[in-house]
Structures are given as structure tokens and as C-alpha cells.
């Protein structure tokens, strides 16, 4: 007798199963979101389901899904729903991923065309199991979108391609409009928050994008409320500016489950506004800093502002 095991019945985060549970702090009044369920949300959900696609909106439990999907804005997550990393903050499933779906780039492109997106955001799980970390799959997806929707601008949010020589060059050669890679937190928190990554490798990745193609906008984001100190956040801003990064996002970390890294504190809206003011003073072209800021939240509108701010700065030069 052969027993077939359904892998989907396994824990979503097996590496966290034996971690002690932490207290989940009550959210303050300034963190309130619209529950999904509108007609626009249903239409977006239907298109995503029809093409068998994965979105980071769902997998990461994004608080803005109701607002974004109502406007037909979805962030597509390619290369499956299972990540090879086990970051302490992330709600994406961890484990050994399935083989790549070679038809996925075209499925994503078809969905973007059907949704009529003027700006598309594509992210992925970490695929340390692949020789190129999924770089070629990113490039094929960008190419498919260009064919299906020539006027759509493309923003990608990539893994760090750690120990994947030549991978970054493949992605940059596909010429996305925005290359985003999140630092996630300050260096002192990496061991407990993002143990599989390396802060200075991620910083160098962003810097190298500009060296390879200065026309591509670069972007990075962090979460606050993980135990970082304000001077560390300001130093991180300086590090990103040294790497010529154009756009920084800063949002409040929200704990997915009791097994995930705890929220050390909720940062106030006034503190976010202060971070925004300092970031602009340090030279970023675009800053998004608020409790509910996420990497792809308002990405289309922010891209238009980013492009206008670059044009204005070049006009003054």
C-alpha cells in the first residue's frame, strides 16, 4: 500500500513550529484598513484565480489588499508560493519549492493586460535552489509583459541573488523601469530578523544596478518596530544614498502570527513624518513613510512622481 502525502497539509512555517509564542500587541487606532470584498476586489481576485497566479498581497497577508485590489492593483509573486528562506518577519510559506512553471511569464503578462495595468509590480520568493536564483525567469516575465502591454511600466522586487554570479546582470539587461530590493531592517537586526541575508551584499546589489544601467530607478524599503534605534535608520538612509538609491519606503512591521518576530513597538505617524522629512533632506527622489506603507502600495502613482522628480532635478542641474 502506497500512502500519498499532501505537502499542503504540512505547516506553513515548519522552521517556526518550535519557537516560543510571543505576545501580539494590540494595534493602535492609526492602523485601520478597509476589509476586502468590493466589486473591484472580486474582479481582480477572479483574474488572479483564472490564471492560477500567486500574489504577495495574499501570501504575505498585506493589510492593503482591500484598497489595492479594488483599484485592480495586484503584486504578482512569481516562481511559486514557497520560499527557501525563513525570515522571522515573513508570512510566505517556507520549504522546498516546486519546479518553475515555464508558462508563468505569459500568464502574468496576460493577467496584466486583462487588468489594464499602467504600472505592474512583480516580486518573487527566494529560490536559492536554482542556479541563477530565478534571474532568467524574471527576465522572461519582463519580456512577456513588454510584448503583451508595451505601454505598461514594470517594477520588480527581487531577492538578493546571494552567491548567484551573473544573475543580477541578466535581470538588469531585461530593463525593468524600477528595480526594488528591500533591506528590510537595520544591520543590527539581521541575525534575528533576516538571518539568511547579508546587509552589505544587499546594499552592493542596489549599487551595482545603477552601475550597470543608470537609467533604471532603484528602490528599497524597511520595516520599523523591530527593535531598531532611530540613529540606525538614519545611517541606513545614508547607506542607501551612497548606493545612489532613488526611492525609500518605510512601514510598520505587523506580526503575522505568535510564532513570528514580535512587534517591539508601534511607531507613531509623527515619527514616520519625521523620517520622510529627513529622507528627502538626504537626497532621495521619492519617499513613502507611513504605518501602512508597503513596497508596492500606490506603486503606480509613486512611479509617476518618481519620474517627475528626476526630470525636475535634472532640469535644475
Amino acid at each position: 500500500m502506497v500512502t500519498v502525502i499532501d505537502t499542503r497539509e504540512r505547516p506553513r512555517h515548519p522552521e517556526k513550529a518550535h519557537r516560543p509564542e510571543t505576545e501580539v500587541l494590540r494595534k493602535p487606532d492609526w492602523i485601520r484598513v478597509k476589509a476586502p470584498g468590493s466589486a473591484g476586489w472580486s474582479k481582480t481576485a477572479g483574474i488572479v484565480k483564472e490564471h492560477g497566479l500567486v500574489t504577495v498581497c495574499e501570501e504575505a497577508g498585506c493589510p492593503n489588499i482591500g484598497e489595492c485590489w479594488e483599484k485592480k492593483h495586484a503584486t504578482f509573486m512569481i516562481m511559486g508560493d514557497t520560499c527557501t528562506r525563513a525570515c522571522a518577519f515573513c508570512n510566505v510559506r517556507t520549504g522546498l519549492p516546486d519546479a518553475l512553471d515555464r508558462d508563468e511569464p505569459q500568464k502574468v503578462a496576460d493577467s496584466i493586460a486583462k487588468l489594464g495595468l499602467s504600472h505592474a509590480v512583480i516580486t518573487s520568493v527566494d529560490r536559492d535552489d536554482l542556479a541563477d536564483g530565478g534571474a532568467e525567469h524574471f527576465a522572461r516575465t519582463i519580456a512577456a509583459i513588454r510584448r503583451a502591454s508595451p505601454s505598461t511600466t514594470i517594477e520588480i522586487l527581487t531577492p538578493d541573488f546571494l552567491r548567484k554570479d551573473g544573475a543580477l546582470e541578466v535581470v538588469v539587461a531585461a530593463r525593468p523601469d524600477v528595480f526594488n530590493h528591500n533591506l528590510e531592517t537595520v544591520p543590527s537586526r539581521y541575525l534575528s530578523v533576516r538571518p539568511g541575508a547579508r546587509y552589505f551584499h544587499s546594499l552592493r546589489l542596489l549599487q551595482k544596478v545603477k552601475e550597470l544601467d543608470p537609467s533604471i530607478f532603484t528602490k528599497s524599503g524597511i520595516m520599523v518596530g523591530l527593535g531598531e534605534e532611530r540613529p540606525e535608520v538614519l545611517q541606513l538612509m545614508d547607506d542607501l544614498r551612497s548606493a545612489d538609491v532613488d526611492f525609500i519606503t518605510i512601514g510598520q512591521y505587523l506580526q503575522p502570527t505568535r510564532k513570528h518576530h514580535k512587534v517591539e513597538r508601534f511607531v507613531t505617524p509623527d515619527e514616520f513624518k519625521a523620517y520622510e522629512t529627513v529622507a528627502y533632506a538626504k537626497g532621495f527622489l521619492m519617499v513613502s513613510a507611513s504605518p501602512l506603507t508597503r513596497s508596492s502600495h500606490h506603486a503606480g502613482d509613486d512611479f509617476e512622481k518618481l519620474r517627475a522628480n528626476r526630470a525636475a532635478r535634472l532640469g535644475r542641474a
Side-chain angles (χ1 to χ4, degrees):
M1 177 179 176
V2 177
T3 301
V4 178
I5 299 174
D6 182 357
T7 57
R8 295 301 174 192
E9 293 181 356
R10 295 174 183 170
R12 188 177 181 86
H13 303 288
E15 80 290 346
K16 295 179 176 66
H18 300 295
R19 286 174 57 108
E21 293 192 353
T22 57
E23 178 188 4
V24 178
L25 300 179
R26 184 179 183 277
K27 294 182 179 69
D29 292 341
W30 61 78
I31 299 181
R32 292 288 182 267
V33 295
K34 183 178 181 179
S38 67
W41 178 90
S42 298
K43 184 175 181 180
T44 301
I47 291 172
V48 168
K49 185 176 181 180
E50 174 190 346
H51 290 84
L53 298 173
V54 178
T55 68
V56 74
C57 321
E58 298 168 289
E59 296 301 316
C62 180
N64 302 313
I65 188 171
E67 175 191 350
C68 292
W69 282 30
E70 182 177 352
K71 299 175 181 177
K72 297 192 295 184
H73 296 168
T75 298
F76 296 97
M77 190 166 77
I78 59 175
M79 297 190 275
D81 66 353
T82 304
C83 186
T84 54
R85 301 278 175 94
C87 296
F89 65 87
C90 186
N91 199 37
V92 173
R93 185 186 305 275
T94 56
L96 182 63
D98 295 329
L100 291 179
D101 176 0
R102 303 302 295 177
D103 296 327
E104 184 177 51
Q106 191 58 52
K107 292 176 184 176
V108 170
D110 290 344
S111 294
I112 287 168
K114 189 168 288 189
L115 286 166
L117 298 185
S118 60
H119 186 77
V121 184
I122 311 298
T123 188
S124 80
V125 290
D126 273 287
R127 290 298 301 258
D128 296 312
D129 59 311
L130 301 175
D132 69 347
E136 182 61 33
H137 202 76
F138 260 108
R140 290 182 62 238
T141 302
I142 293 168
I145 297 168
R146 296 279 188 226
R147 291 191 299 269
S149 304
S151 63
T152 299
T153 50
I154 302 171
E155 178 172 332
I156 58 171
L157 171 55
T158 77
D160 59 14
F161 300 120
L162 189 62
R163 293 182 286 274
K164 308 293 183 184
D165 291 344
L168 178 65
E169 287 80 356
V170 170
V171 178
V172 172
R175 302 207 65 200
D177 296 281
V178 181
F179 189 107
N180 184 6
H181 172 66
N182 286 335
L183 293 182
E184 306 293 8
T185 187
V186 299
S188 69
R189 309 306 300 160
Y190 261 54
L191 190 59
S192 60
V193 173
R194 200 181 177 216
R198 302 293 179 268
Y199 178 82
F200 288 103
H201 170 82
S202 288
L203 203 60
R204 174 60 182 147
L205 185 86
L206 290 159
Q207 182 181 39
K208 195 171 181 182
V209 172
K210 281 292 190 185
E211 293 172 358
L212 292 167
D213 189 341
S215 70
I216 295 176
F217 289 103
T218 49
K219 178 178 176 179
S220 189
I222 64 166
M223 302 166 289
V224 289
L226 284 161
E228 73 291 329
E229 299 292 338
R230 188 172 187 275
E232 293 181 293
V233 176
L234 302 187
Q235 180 61 58
L236 178 143
M237 291 181 188
D238 288 336
D239 292 343
L240 287 176
R241 288 302 302 132
S242 294
D244 203 18
V245 170
D246 301 300
F247 186 172
I248 184 173
T249 61
I250 306 174
Q252 171 69 52
Y253 167 62
L254 298 176
Q255 186 175 348
T257 73
R258 291 181 180 274
K259 296 288 187 179
H260 284 75
H261 195 293
K262 68 177 182 177
V263 175
E264 297 293 345
R265 76 182 188 97
F266 287 105
V267 178
T268 67
D270 285 347
E271 290 176 275
F272 278 105
K273 184 63 180 176
Y275 278 140
E276 177 187 313
T277 300
V278 171
Y280 274 122
K282 288 180 180 292
F284 287 98
L285 283 176
M286 186 70 195
V287 181
S288 179
S290 75
L292 290 173
T293 288
R294 296 297 182 267
S295 293
S296 56
H297 194 211
H298 300 152
D301 292 340
D302 286 347
F303 175 72
E304 292 304 321
K305 295 174 187 175
L306 187 62
R307 192 154 52 181
N309 290 349
R310 174 189 276 179
R313 183 172 294 183
L314 291 174
R316 293 194 301 268

